[in-house]
C-alpha cells in the first residue's frame, strides 16, 4: 500500500512537471512574438521620425529657396540675378532631395520645377530672360512653401 502511494505521488509529480514544460513551451513563442512586434514598432517609430525629419528639412530648404528666388527677382544686375538664382537652385535641389526621402511627391515635383527655372535664370545672358525666369522661380517657390508645409504636417 505504501509503495502504491509512492507510485501515485511519483506519477502525479511527473505529470505536473510535464504540464509545466508544455505551458512553458507554449509561452515561449508568444514571448518571442511579443519581442518581434515591439522591435517592429520601434523600427517603425524610428523610420517615422526620420521621415518627419526629412519633411522638416524639405520645408526649411523651401524657405531658403523662397528667400533666394525673391532676392534674384529684386536684383539690379544680371550678375546678382545669376548669383541669387544659383543659391535658389541649390535650395530647390535640397528641397527636392529631402522631399523624395520623406515621400512627398508633390513637393518633389514643385521643387524640381523651381530648380529648372532657377538654373535657366542663372545661365542666361539676357537680363530680360533672367528676370522672367527669376519671376517664375519666385512664384514656384511660393507654391513650394505651401506644399512642403502640408507635407510636413499631414504625415
Amino acid at each position: 500500500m505504501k509503495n502504491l502511494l509512492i507510485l501515485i505521488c511519483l506519477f502525479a509529480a511527473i505529470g505536473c512537471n510535464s504540464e509545466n514544460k508544455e505551458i512553458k513551451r507554449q509561452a515561449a513563442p508568444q514571448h518571442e512574438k511579443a519581442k518581434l512586434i515591439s522591435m517592429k514598432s520601434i523600427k517603425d517609430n524610428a523610420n517615422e521620425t526620420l521621415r518627419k525629419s526629412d519633411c522638416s528639412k524639405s520645408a526649411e530648404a523651401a524657405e531658403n529657396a523662397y528667400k533666394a528666388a525673391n532676392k534674384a527677382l529684386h536684383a539690379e544686375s544680371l550678375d546678382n540675378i545669376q548669383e541669387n538664382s544659383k543659391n535658389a537652385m541649390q535650395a530647390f535641389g535640397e528641397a527636392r532631395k529631402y522631399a523624395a526621402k520623406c515621400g512627398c511627391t508633390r513637393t518633389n515635383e514643385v521643387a524640381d520645377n523651381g530648380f529648372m527655372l532657377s538654373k535657366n535664370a542663372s545661365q542666361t545672358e539676357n537680363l530680360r530672360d533672367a528676370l522672367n525666369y527669376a519671376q517664375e522661380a519666385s512664384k514656384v517657390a511660393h507654391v513650394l512653401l505651401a506644399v512642403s508645409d502640408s507635407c510636413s504636417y499631414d504625415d
Side-chain angles (χ1 to χ4, degrees), residues 3-107:
N3 288 339
L4 184 60
L5 191 55
I6 292 174
L7 282 174
I8 291 173
C9 288
L10 187 61
F11 285 126
I14 291 172
C16 288
N17 193 19
S18 63
E19 284 178 13
N20 286 340
K21 285 181 182 177
E22 181 65 23
I23 290 170
K24 286 180 183 177
R25 188 183 65 77
Q26 289 175 351
Q30 290 173 348
H31 179 68
E32 197 63 32
K33 187 176 181 180
K35 271 187 184 176
L36 291 173
I37 290 170
S38 66
M39 291 298 287
K40 184 179 183 305
S41 69
I42 289 171
K43 183 179 175 186
D44 289 346
N45 288 342
N47 286 339
E48 183 67 22
T49 301
L50 287 174
R51 187 166 171 255
K52 286 190 178 195
S53 173
D54 288 333
C55 287
S56 295
K57 288 177 183 176
S58 178
E60 185 178 319
E63 290 176 19
N64 293 337
Y66 181 76
K67 290 174 187 174
N70 279 331
K71 276 186 177 179
L73 179 62
H74 299 327
E76 295 181 7
S77 70
L78 180 61
D79 288 339
N80 287 343
I81 292 171
Q82 289 173 332
E83 185 63 32
N84 287 310
S85 292
K86 285 178 185 175
N87 293 339
M89 185 174 70
Q90 184 177 13
F92 277 120
E94 293 239 340
R96 179 176 61 184
K97 176 179 75 174
Y98 288 117
K101 283 184 177 183
C102 81
C104 298
T105 307
R106 179 71 178 132
T107 303

Side-chain angles (χ1 to χ4, degrees), residues 1 76 126 133 140:
M1 185 73 164
E76 295 181 7
N126 183 309
Y133 286 126
V140 169

